[in-house]
Amino acid sequence: MNVLSTLIRRCLTALLAVLLVLPITYVQAAPEFMPVDQISKGMHGIAKTVVAGNKIEDFDVEVLDVMKQKGPSGDLILVRTSGDVIERTGGIAQGMSGSPVYINGKLVGAIAYGWSLTDHKIGMVTPIADMLKLWELNGGQAELATPGLEANKVSTPLMASGFGEQALRMLADKLKPYNLIPYDVGASTSDDNNGIAYKTVEPGSTIGVQLVRGDFSLGALGTVTYVEGDKILAFGHPFLKRGQANYFLTDADVYTTVAGLENSFKVGTATEAIGMINQDRGAGVAGKFGQFPSIVPLRITVTDKSLGRTNDYWAQVIQDEELAPTLSAVSVFNSIEKTTDRAGSGTATVNFEISANGIPGGLFKRENMFYTQGNIGELAIAELHEALALLAGNQFVPVNIMDVKVNVVMDTERRTATIVEAKANTDAVKSGDTVDIAVKIKPFRSEPVIRHIAYSVPKDRQPGPLNLSVRGGGVVSVAQLIGKRATGEDDLSKLFIAKARPKSLDESVNELVNRDRNNDIVVEVLEASGPDAVQAGEGKAPKTIDKFETAPSPALPSAAVQKDGDARHISAASNKPAAAAKKDDSKRKVCITTDYIIDGDTQLVLNVKK
């Protein structure tokens, strides 16, 4: 008998131990619900939330009325809040959205809406029945009704950790369409607990909905409304209203709640990832524990040559066709800001690799140099953002971005040079001949230097003058401008159209990968479209321009990256790099890469003989 009693006690102890280590979300008894048609004016209840730390506190709620069809998903319940918690916070605060409201012990819904610059104690509750419908949605196909709402949702404060001042401003600008304002809350957090939730997640506790995590963190705080098994409901209103969503669900710490004239708000940060939010709609957000969102991993290295400093950063960005490119680019900009500790002019060399399915070779590589007298960090991320947006938003096939590696080298030195002149070693050539073209460039505040380009005359070139443009990779030649004006073409934006609209993702990727770089010297056939364009190469002084672009110019595509001084050919007809273009006799273009950002252009004429 003693043996049996001992065995029973051991089994009960083991069972209790298992229950203690499981999150409360899996063992909590479900409350009863109170439908809207049972709610009337004058009823009293309580709501639950966290205003500091992790302690859940109650505050009082009085029903003022039921507002029929005033919410994004149907009815709203107008309430007045009171009690010590409300007095301390100055009313309903941002971050309280989702706070569960109970009347007679039954769950009514979630605090979700209020008005700014008025009585912050007045708010509106989203009925729990509308929130429960989020769990019924299948793959984002079903939609909830979305009538207008004149009141403001109790905003979910967007907490930013690890972002610099410039990056925060950029975030605020990019997220303005979503009515989100990021607040700096100090250092970011990491996954020390390997995704295991050690804190209790229950109605009234604070959670995070995170868009970026790692060395940088960007996410919103809200309150848990209801938990059932491995499912969760929160907020009571939309976050970004993305419908079917893909966000991190995290635990969160609340530092404090700040009372304000316009709005009060919680200050805190997301901690361990515990699941994912998969629905973001009018009635709130819904998610699951133990499942995690698909992500874009970022590995960023930034070197500041003037400081002799190299920093490595990592981050995980949610996979989202609209948000991921911007969030990734801003994360790189933030890495630059944190490493250089400045904003202003300079030179940047940017090299990035994007691993993704559905693209040629599964790898997208691009390298370029940039200079601006403005904020070089903003310009440095331009092509990365363009590449990510191209992949994520392409019209052909869905692309899963699996890895992004970015290497940025920053320098305060101005590494620019202007083309002064170009001379061929002979002006009498035959089709198929190779001509040495000496290009004189003038680096900023340095003596001129010569770069040589071996140019092959197209084999199919007919006898007569062959007009060549010699230009920087990021500019459009003066001759092209003159030619367009001579033919009455006023839309100069057409100069930047390299070819017809891409017919496949491969074409789109190749166009960007093979685009001329800002540090290229390009020699290409200039088909004269006006008398001035021809005359410029026939005895007139070469014309140049001295203007450095503030954004990478989408000029005609060039071939793959080569070492400084190595020529690479491309066919204007085939848009193929040198290895493939050798099979094509109609080469029109050759490039060399330099260690300067090249500006300006000039022209020369070769006389093709029979």
Side-chain angles (χ1 to χ4, degrees), residues 60-72:
D60 297 323
V61 174
E62 177 189 358
V63 176
L64 299 180
D65 209 341
V66 174
M67 306 167 67
K68 294 295 184 180
Q69 296 300 316
K70 292 295 185 181

Side-chain angles (χ1 to χ4, degrees), residues 366 368 370 382-383 386 471-476 480 492-499 511-512 514-518 549-558 589:
R366 175 73 175 168
N368 208 346
F370 304 92
E383 282 193 345
E386 182 183 2
R471 61 176 176 83
V475 298
V476 177
Q480 287 175 297
L492 298 182
S493 65
K494 292 182 180 179
L495 290 174
F496 296 98
I497 301 176
K499 57 183 296 184
E511 278 192 6
L512 180 52
N514 294 328
R515 177 188 297 170
D516 295 339
R517 293 171 294 178
N518 298 326
E549 301 293 328
T550 55
S553 172
L556 293 168
S558 70
K589 179 177 176 181

Side-chain angles (χ1 to χ4, degrees), residues 97-100 102 107 109-110 128 131 203-204 223-227 233-236:
S97 56
S99 298
Y102 301 88
L107 181 58
I128 186 61
M131 297 183 69
T223 304
V224 178
T225 305
Y226 178 57
V227 174
L233 293 171
F235 285 22

Side-chain angles (χ1 to χ4, degrees), residues 272-323:
E272 294 81 2
I274 57 176
M276 73 175 292
I277 296 296
N278 54 24
Q279 293 292 336
D280 175 12
R281 300 180 187 271
V285 300
K288 283 196 170 186
F289 300 103
Q291 296 181 6
F292 298 92
S294 54
I295 61 168
V296 177
L298 290 178
R299 290 178 287 167
I300 307 162
T301 299
V302 181
T303 299
D304 187 326
K305 294 178 69 175
S306 62
L307 295 178
R309 174 192 298 170
T310 297
N311 289 337
D312 295 316
Y313 302 92
W314 75 275
Q316 297 173 332
V317 177
I318 60 162
Q319 284 271 12
D320 184 284
E321 291 185 357
E322 183 177 333
L323 292 174

